Amino acid sequence: MLVAASRIFSTRTHLLTPSLPSASGYPFTFRSMADSAAASASSFNKIQIQRDDTTFDAYVVGKEDAPGIVVLQEWWGVDYEIKNHAVKISQLNPGFKALIPDLYRGKVGLDVAEAQHLMDGLDWQGAVKDIRASVNWLKENGSRKVGVTGFCMGGALSIASAVLVPEINAVVAFYGVPSSELADPAQAKAPIQAHFGELDSFVGFSDVKAAKALEEKLKASGIPYEVHMYPGSAHAFMNRSPEGVKRRKSMGMPDEDAAAVDLAWSRFQSWVTRFLST
């Protein structure tokens, strides 16, 4: 077990790490969701969700009337990798209904600079509202209990949602901690399981120090929690598709540990089954 409030994410911010260049000065040629590698997957149903005065797209896969899980994107957007994760989640026993809200409204970053630019422009409070609307859509459409999971940027948002979205029944966060300005994990109301790589270099957001700080916050919250550290693994270690592996290597993350990925999915399955299926 390991937990932490990061100072990385606020309403508009960026990752403070030397491995990520500033987005300023780059030309942005954003790709739409329809162009991403997984967009043609026939197993997904595209829906629209209304909240306040805005409507956003979401992608749903899995068993009808099963426990629901909102799956939150990395800073890239709703691309092939987050769809891979959603399909994997939907197929875990005893079966789940996974929903990906499109927080970027159809845009996908093609490289680090574009992803940075998209994340910098995200309305974080608005994203939390999207998450809440997604949770409620699942509860209104057959899911008695609903969890939230996310990766990198989505991991931070999933922890924030445990604080800010009372309808959530459980959270699993991968390598991301919200800023104190967005949410204090010590105030979390839903059980949280969190996963981090020991070699993660995103200082203050998902490195070992951030993970340990998160654990202290979760201890104070009084909720059930687990914080797991994976030796020899760097950031985004769950991304194992050929495209995802290539992208990670291009960012200086050549680690490959199938056993760590399998262990993380096993822990994920145990956690969501415990809190969503009973």
Side-chain angles (χ1 to χ4, degrees):
M1 304 263 295
L2 268 164
V3 163
S6 156
R7 292 181 296 277
I8 299 301
F9 283 86
S10 57
T11 305
R12 295 170 60 86
T13 186
H14 58 280
L15 293 174
L16 303 178
T17 169
S19 64
L20 297 180
S22 169
S24 61
Y26 285 80
F28 301 115
T29 54
F30 296 123
R31 177 170 55 181
S32 72
M33 180 61 234
D35 296 327
S36 86
S40 61
S42 59
S43 56
F44 283 90
N45 291 322
K46 182 179 177 181
I47 64 169
Q48 288 194 320
I49 297 176
Q50 177 78 33
R51 62 102 174 150
D52 300 330
D53 59 351
T54 187
T55 301
F56 60 91
D57 292 336
Y59 301 85
V60 182
V61 62
K63 290 174 55 177
E64 291 298 322
D65 300 327
I69 299 180
V70 177
V71 184
L72 303 177
Q73 67 200 50
E74 297 176 291
W75 68 341
W76 306 105
V78 181
D79 70 350
Y80 57 87
E81 202 69 90
I82 203 65
K83 283 205 162 190
N84 290 341
H85 292 326
V87 170
K88 171 74 173 181
I89 289 166
S90 73
Q91 295 171 347
L92 295 173
N93 286 327
F96 296 92
K97 187 175 183 179
L99 182 154
I100 310 170
D102 189 350
L103 304 180
Y104 285 168
R105 304 298 192 260
K107 294 179 179 177
V108 177
L110 300 182
D111 57 30
V112 165
E114 292 177 354
Q116 181 80 68
H117 181 75
L118 286 168
M119 187 182 69
D120 285 352
L122 182 66
D123 173 2
W124 293 90
Q125 286 79 9
V128 171
K129 291 180 180 179
D130 287 354
I131 296 166
R132 186 172 191 178
S134 299
V135 169
N136 287 330
W137 187 93
L138 284 166
K139 289 199 169 186
E140 292 164 2
N141 288 273
S143 298
R144 190 170 65 88
K145 291 186 176 181
V146 176
V148 175
T149 190
F151 302 79
C152 185
M153 182 185 84
L157 281 166
S158 65
I159 293 174
S161 70
V163 178
L164 301 171
V165 182
E167 295 88 350
I168 290 174
N169 299 106
V171 161
V172 181
F174 289 88
Y175 28 81
V177 180
S179 70
S180 57
E181 291 88 351
L182 180 61
D184 180 0
Q187 302 300 316
K189 301 171 183 66
I192 294 176
Q193 182 185 77
H195 303 262
F196 297 89
E198 183 184 45
L199 303 182
D200 197 316
S201 60
F202 285 47
V203 176
F205 175 65
S206 53
D207 63 340
V208 172
K209 185 176 180 180
K212 290 181 177 179
L214 175 64
E215 184 168 40
E216 293 307 310
K217 288 282 188 176
L218 294 183
K219 285 179 182 178
S221 75
I223 60 165
Y225 75 90
E226 295 176 358
V227 180
H228 299 287
M229 184 64 62
Y230 295 82
S233 292
H235 191 75
F237 67 88
M238 297 296 287
N239 293 350
R240 303 312 309 153
S241 71
E243 298 93 340
V245 169
K246 182 178 179 180
R247 184 163 65 185
R248 292 182 75 252
K249 288 182 177 179
S250 73
M251 296 177 67
M253 295 177 280
D255 58 296
E256 296 187 38
D257 189 346
V261 175
D262 289 344
L263 178 57
W265 279 124
S266 175
R267 287 166 167 166
F268 177 103
Q269 182 177 5
S270 296
W271 193 257
V272 296
T273 300
R274 174 184 171 187
F275 291 104
L276 302 183
S277 298
T278 56

